[in-house]
Amino acid sequence: MTEDAKFEDGREAPLNLGAFDAEDLEVLSSLAQDAVFTITDMAWRPQERRLAFLVNRFRWEDEGRQRHGAERVRSVLVIDNVLGVASQGIDRGDTGTILSVLSIGFEPDAADDVSGYITLTLAGDGAVKARIEALEVSLRDVTRPYRAPAGKAPDHGA
């Protein structure tokens, strides 16, 4: 005898992932690709050694996209163990500009594989670079998914 499906079986759990090496960070980067945020959604807390972004992330991992359409979700991207932050190609005074994440990369220091730089490469030649003591990045969904305003996945010309 087969068992009927339960409501809970169809529920997709929110993401709550951590990256502690370059390979882990590649996974987070793919999930954060095309996430959008404004300059006011970015917070550098030097006393906590933390750089955080509140982003609207496209749900690349969503296997039900054909059934219910493309979705986004609000997520928190946190880089810990940050010693300093720099940016280029971003007008910090223009709080209405939408910034879009292309990738998140790690450049280790020559001395070890743990410390170095994490770079968020943004569309339009912008970047945010964090000097880190140790690689520790997390990505956590904080809202329920919602229909993507464009109604489709971002187009990369493929």
Side-chain angles (χ1 to χ4, degrees):
M1 178 174 198
T2 61
E3 186 176 323
D4 288 340
K6 298 179 193 122
F7 178 77
E8 294 81 18
D9 294 337
R11 184 176 69 90
E12 295 180 33
L15 286 184
N16 188 4
L17 301 174
F20 299 95
D21 61 31
E23 190 174 299
D24 292 345
L25 191 61
E26 286 180 29
V27 173
L28 285 188
S29 178
S30 68
L31 293 167
Q33 182 181 5
D34 298 309
V36 294
F37 65 98
T38 64
I39 204 72
T40 60
D41 294 325
M42 182 172 67
W44 161 228
R45 307 210 178 215
Q47 293 78 13
E48 298 173 28
R49 296 173 35 166
R50 176 173 285 163
L51 177 61
F53 303 83
L54 179 61
V55 300
N56 293 320
R57 183 181 70 78
F58 186 81
R59 295 188 64 229
W60 290 109
E61 75 283 6
D62 181 17
E63 294 177 8
R65 193 177 319 150
Q66 297 300 322
R67 184 178 72 251
H68 56 69
E71 292 181 333
R72 286 190 173 269
V73 63
R74 295 284 273 177
S75 303
V76 176
L77 174 68
V78 177
I79 303 171
D80 282 307
N81 306 307
V82 177
L83 303 172
V85 177
S87 65
Q88 84 175 37
I90 299 172
D91 181 355
R92 296 180 194 179
D94 187 357
T95 59
T97 298
I98 305 295
L99 304 170
S100 180
V101 177
L102 294 178
S103 65
I104 305 170
F106 174 61
E107 305 163 44
D109 279 340
D112 61 51
D113 291 340
V114 180
S115 64
Y117 296 90
I118 293 179
T119 303
L120 267 79
T121 303
L122 306 173
D125 295 327
V128 177
K129 193 171 202 173
R131 171 117 176 88
I132 58 165
E133 184 174 52
L135 200 154
E136 184 177 352
V137 180
S138 63
L139 179 65
R140 182 171 54 96
D141 293 345
V142 294
T143 66
R144 289 185 178 274
Y146 59 91
R147 177 73 50 99
K152 61 181 183 166
D155 182 13
H156 296 145

